[in-house]
Amino acid sequence: MNSLRRLPFTQFDVFTSRALEGNPLAVFPDGRSLSDDEMQAIAKEMNLSETTYILPRDAAIEKERGIRVRIFAVQEELPFAGHPTLGTAFALRGNSGASEIRLELNVGTIPVRFEVKPGQPAFGEMTQNDPVFGEIHDVKKIAEVTGIPAGDIDSDFPVQTVSTGVPFTILPLRGLGQIRRLQINQGRASEYLSASSGKFFFCVTRETVDPAARLHARMLFYNGEDPATGSAAGCAAAWMVQHGIAKPEERVLIEQGVEIKRPSKIFVRASRGNGRVVNVRVGGNVVEVLRGELSF
């Protein structure tokens, strides 16, 4: 009889300083023994938005290019995602007190910098790829493909696709009433988005629950609803600076996950240089909640 393989893992709640809130993430500290199919099967077993695998290698290569990490959602490997990047950087940092951890993801090297203030939990902030602003969409068409009433869409700001590694279509709604009753026809929406180079709709409104927040967000997708979408928050940061909702270099809060009782706090900022939005940063806190061992 074959002996079982045993793999330790740690689970974190990301974009929160309180356990059992934010977006959960499983991190496997050494995935070198796993095939691609096994990584995908384990991610399906964990059944979280994402699971990450750290692939340790020679220290000189890690110093030059960062620590190799692969990110898997339940159905596919992702080139980049925000909460797995932040959570895995916290896992790698541990109690070392490091001020920066660099991850080599499928989109390239992403640095995560840490800020520590006395009496406060450590705060990590990743720098995402500079934004690529895509198509501005016709509101009538968006209403038609999503099933969202055209009157619920905030016409003061454009529905626009933005990418900082993964393309999201930022869809502004009028207020909390509209975003709370949000339903999206996922079949038609994803058909439309794949034809226009988008991945998902990131729905936002300037009316917030927490007065300190600048945007209230929801991200509905094939797996249900995401409590915190760090990659989309980076796109929203760029969109806010581009359209005057946030000033360059102003760190603002996006609240997400409220409707599914997993409140998340995502802090974002972006700069302007040579007339372009650049230097998109997305940050937050991370809490360890579980250690376990997978055997198969």
Side-chain angles (χ1 to χ4, degrees):
M1 195 175 146
N2 290 341
S3 60
L4 286 175
R5 289 163 71 185
R6 296 182 181 280
L7 288 176
F9 69 91
T10 310
Q11 198 164 306
F12 298 88
D13 286 339
V14 182
F15 290 120
T16 178
S17 53
R18 297 171 62 172
L20 313 182
E21 294 185 358
N23 203 349
L25 170 75
V27 179
F28 285 83
D30 191 345
R32 286 176 295 184
S33 66
L34 298 168
S35 68
D36 291 12
D37 287 348
E38 287 169 337
M39 288 183 184
Q40 188 62 73
I42 291 168
K44 201 169 170 58
E45 177 73 24
M46 303 311 286
N47 201 29
L48 304 173
S49 304
E50 282 101 9
T51 295
T52 62
Y53 303 93
I54 297 166
L55 303 165
R57 54 189 178 177
D58 187 74
I61 296 176
E62 289 189 341
K63 197 171 170 166
E64 186 193 335
R65 288 168 27 196
I67 297 164
R68 181 72 179 116
V69 174
R70 292 177 69 181
I71 302 170
F72 283 78
V74 171
Q75 296 186 351
E76 61 185 333
E77 183 172 9
L78 300 177
F80 174 71
H83 101 273
T85 300
L86 189 63
T88 307
F90 267 87
L92 285 161
R93 180 176 184 260
N95 298 319
S96 70
S99 59
E100 183 178 90
I101 298 283
R102 293 162 71 245
L103 308 185
E104 190 187 3
L105 308 175
N106 290 358
V107 291
T109 303
I110 301 285
V112 180
R113 291 182 189 89
F114 293 90
E115 298 168 18
V116 183
K117 289 182 182 155
Q120 288 184 17
F123 177 89
E125 186 179 64
M126 76 191 89
T127 301
Q128 298 186 355
N129 290 345
D130 280 346
V132 176
F133 288 92
E135 190 178 333
I136 289 180
H137 302 265
D138 177 68
V139 168
K140 277 205 190 88
K141 183 71 185 162
I142 292 296
E144 187 193 312
V145 298
T146 57
I148 297 170
D152 284 8
I153 297 171
D154 184 351
S155 55
D156 288 349
F157 297 96
V159 179
Q160 184 170 22
T161 302
V162 185
S163 177
T164 60
V166 177
F168 284 89
T169 300
I170 312 296
L171 174 46
L173 298 172
R174 284 188 186 280
L176 287 172
Q178 289 76 6
I179 209 164
R180 281 178 177 147
R181 63 168 177 259
L182 182 65
Q183 283 183 309
I184 292 179
N185 178 334
Q186 288 297 351
R188 288 205 65 192
S190 50
E191 203 176 297
Y192 172 81
L193 286 174
S194 56
S196 70
S197 310
K199 182 86 176 155
F200 297 110
F201 285 106
F202 191 58
C203 299
V204 299
T205 177
R206 288 174 298 154
E207 190 185 349
T208 60
V209 176
D210 179 348
R214 187 66 51 93
L215 287 182
H216 180 96
R218 292 185 76 184
M219 215 289 281
L220 309 182
F221 65 121
Y222 49 65
N223 216 22
E225 181 165 353
D226 201 21
T229 318
S231 47
C235 300
W239 178 85
M240 280 193 278
V241 170
Q242 181 81 343
H243 301 295
I245 298 169
K247 296 185 190 81
E249 280 309 309
E250 181 186 14
R251 184 182 273 168
V252 299
L253 169 61
I254 298 176
E255 59 181 17
Q256 191 181 341
V258 176
E259 288 76 9
I260 53 169
K261 312 256 183 307
R262 296 285 309 194
S264 302
K265 291 183 184 296
I266 310 171
F267 293 89
V268 301
R269 54 184 172 153
S271 317
R272 256 193 192 284
N274 299 326
R276 291 179 56 236
V277 179
V278 292
N279 199 14
V280 171
R281 285 147 293 165
V282 175
N285 304 110
V286 175
V287 191
E288 183 185 310
V289 290
L290 175 72
R291 286 185 180 219
E293 190 177 67
L294 183 81
S295 48
F296 68 103

